[in-house]
């Protein structure tokens, strides 16, 4: 099924400029992107590039030319296309992700893609899980531990549910029997520091180590297994748009043991590879 016309106001536009992607509807988007089935996204442009290379290698997809080049402009986001898969970066946090989600979804809509799926493949701070563990999100929570994404529109707060598909999560787990993939709740915070109950930001947080541990333990008891900065916005957006979605994040540390990320760059890149491998195994099982 193609994405339905989500917003009636779009019909009034002549050419729609996907400004931050550097693409617009005067281009032959259907020819460029009409075959897309999966969009894999994460915060960092470097990881988007690594993922694009990995998709090409592991799924044996030929890439045009000698190297991968981003499509459109890469001032804000990097978008790579590898066969029927887009690998892209969305930046840090929900404001950056929200802009990307509107424009990448427009891209899928205008390109008339059949039944596309969006996957966030990211990094996170584990709760009760050691570094390198892959978590699939069953439900995203805000920093108040509520399963919603809230935005203020015309001066009023609106809340959208942030659940993800149990069926898709199970398919991801089934496609990765050799990996430890944990299903749990994910807290999407508005910062890496205070909202993730870290004590190592530059400002005095105004809470103690004991307060922090009480909050993290409460979250753990509710089923929270990791903290990151985008999952609730991502889940709520996909629910509203009626698009299949999953959040697959690797943990970089266990927050029950501390705040600082101390693993070496080599170890961290191995961790990141874990989440990308889980996504690639899932895509391979579906293509
Ligand atoms: C995980 O890692 C980033 C912060 O370091 C952020 O984008 C996230 O969700
Ligand atoms: N990303 C986050 O948002 N939090 C962490 O602890 C690690 C990565």
């Amino acid at each position: 099924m193609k994405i339905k016309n989500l917003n009636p106001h779009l019909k009034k536009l002549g050419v729609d400029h996907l400004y931050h992607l550097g693409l617009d509807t005067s281009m032959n988007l259907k020819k460029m992107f009409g075959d897309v089935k999966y969009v894999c996204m994460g915060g960092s442009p470097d990881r988007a590039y690594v993922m694009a290379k990995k998709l090409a290698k592991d799924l044996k997809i030929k890439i045009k030319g000698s190297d991968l080049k981003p499509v459109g402009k890469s001032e804000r986001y990097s978008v790579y296309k590898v066969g029927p898969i887009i690998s892209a970066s969305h930046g840090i946090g929900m404001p950056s992700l929200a802009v990307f989600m509107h424009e990448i979804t427009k891209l899928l809509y205008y390109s008339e893609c059949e039944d596309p799926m969006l996957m966030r493949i990211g990094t996170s701070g584990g709760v009760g899980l050691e570094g390198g563990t892959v978590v699939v999100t069953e439900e995203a929570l805000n920093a108040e531990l509520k399963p919603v994404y809230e935005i203020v529109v015309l001066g009023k707060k609106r809340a959208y549910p942030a659940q993800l598909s149990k069926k898709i999560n199970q398919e991801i787990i089934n496609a990765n029997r050799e990996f430890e993939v944990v299903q749990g709740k994910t807290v999407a915070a508005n910062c890496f520091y205070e909202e993730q109950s870290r004590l190592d930001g530059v400002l005095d947080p105004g809470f103690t180590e004991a307060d922090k541990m009480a909050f993290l333990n409460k979250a753990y008891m509710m089923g929270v297994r990791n903290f990151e900065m985008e999952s609730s916005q991502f889940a709520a957006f996909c629910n509203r748009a009626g698009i299949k979605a999953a959040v697959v994040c690797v943990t970089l540390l266990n927050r029950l043991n501390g705040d600082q990320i101390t693993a070496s760059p080599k170890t961290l890149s191995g961790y990141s590879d874990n989440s990308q491998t889980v996504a690639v195994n899932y895509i391979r099982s579906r293509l």
Side-chain angles (χ1 to χ4, degrees):
M1 227 178 35
K2 294 186 175 59
I3 298 172
K4 293 193 192 79
N5 193 2
L6 304 164
N7 175 8
H9 300 283
L10 289 181
K11 285 205 184 79
K12 293 178 224 150
L13 297 175
V15 172
D16 190 354
H17 295 269
L18 315 185
Y19 164 66
H20 304 86
L21 300 184
L23 299 166
D24 68 63
T25 54
S26 74
M27 301 167 177
N28 192 344
L29 296 179
K30 192 171 175 189
K31 182 154 182 269
M32 291 162 79
F33 297 101
D35 62 340
V36 169
K37 291 274 177 221
Y38 294 92
V39 180
C40 299
M41 59 181 86
S44 122
D46 286 5
R47 266 190 285 122
Y49 178 75
V50 170
M51 179 63 170
K53 290 285 236 192
K54 185 177 173 75
L55 285 161
K57 185 167 172 274
D58 293 4
L59 301 178
K60 300 185 175 58
I61 300 171
K62 281 212 180 72
I63 48 178
K64 286 190 201 107
S66 58
D67 199 11
L68 274 163
K69 297 260 182 320
V71 192
K73 69 178 183 188
S74 50
E75 182 191 350
R76 301 287 186 180
Y77 306 107
S78 294
V79 174
Y80 297 94
K81 185 166 181 297
V82 180
I85 307 164
I86 284 175
S87 175
S89 65
H90 57 59
I92 286 191
M94 293 185 257
S96 179
L97 177 70
V99 173
F100 179 76
M101 291 297 280
H102 279 278
E103 294 186 13
I104 201 77
T105 305
K106 281 185 178 197
L107 184 69
L108 301 173
Y109 166 65
Y110 289 126
S111 305
E112 298 180 36
C113 297
E114 281 293 337
D115 217 12
M117 171 169 175
L118 302 183
M119 294 178 87
R120 171 168 144 70
I121 301 148
T123 58
S124 64
V127 186
L129 298 172
E130 294 315 309
T133 314
V134 178
V135 180
V136 288
T137 302
E138 58 179 53
E139 179 175 73
L141 309 181
N142 65 14
E144 292 177 292
L145 307 179
K146 290 185 191 149
V148 288
Y149 170 66
E150 290 180 335
I151 42 169
V152 178
V153 177
L154 305 182
K156 294 206 177 82
K157 210 178 248 183
R158 295 183 185 179
Y160 294 103
Q163 275 78 27
L164 285 140
S165 160
K166 285 197 171 54
K167 181 171 170 278
I168 292 175
N169 287 354
Q170 196 53 51
E171 288 167 359
I172 293 172
I173 292 166
N174 292 347
N176 283 284
R177 287 285 175 213
E178 77 279 20
F179 256 96
E180 194 204 351
V181 180
V182 173
Q183 197 172 182
K185 297 181 187 180
T186 299
V187 176
N190 279 314
C191 183
F192 183 79
Y193 291 98
E194 284 159 296
E195 270 208 8
Q196 294 191 27
S197 59
R198 278 187 157 87
L199 288 162
D200 62 343
V202 73
L203 301 173
D204 180 347
F207 58 84
T208 65
E209 173 74 25
D211 296 334
K212 172 184 112 177
M213 291 312 293
F215 180 71
L216 291 178
N217 282 316
K218 177 182 163 190
Y220 184 84
M221 293 310 288
M222 286 175 62
V224 170
R225 292 296 175 268
N226 58 348
F227 278 75
E228 43 81 275
M229 294 177 59
E230 294 88 10
S231 55
S232 63
Q233 200 275 327
F234 175 85
F237 189 101
C238 293
N239 285 338
R240 284 179 71 193
I243 299 178
K244 289 187 297 179
V247 177
V248 178
C249 287
V250 73
T251 60
L252 303 184
L253 78 168
N254 180 358
R255 288 297 315 287
L256 299 182
N257 296 335
D259 294 342
Q260 295 257 309
I261 297 173
T262 54
S264 69
K266 190 162 173 266
T267 301
L268 292 173
S269 114
Y271 288 172
S272 167
D273 189 60
N274 288 355
S275 52
Q276 294 186 340
T277 300
V278 165
V280 170
N281 286 344
Y282 170 70
I283 294 172
R284 187 191 285 112
S285 75
R286 312 294 299 175
L287 276 181

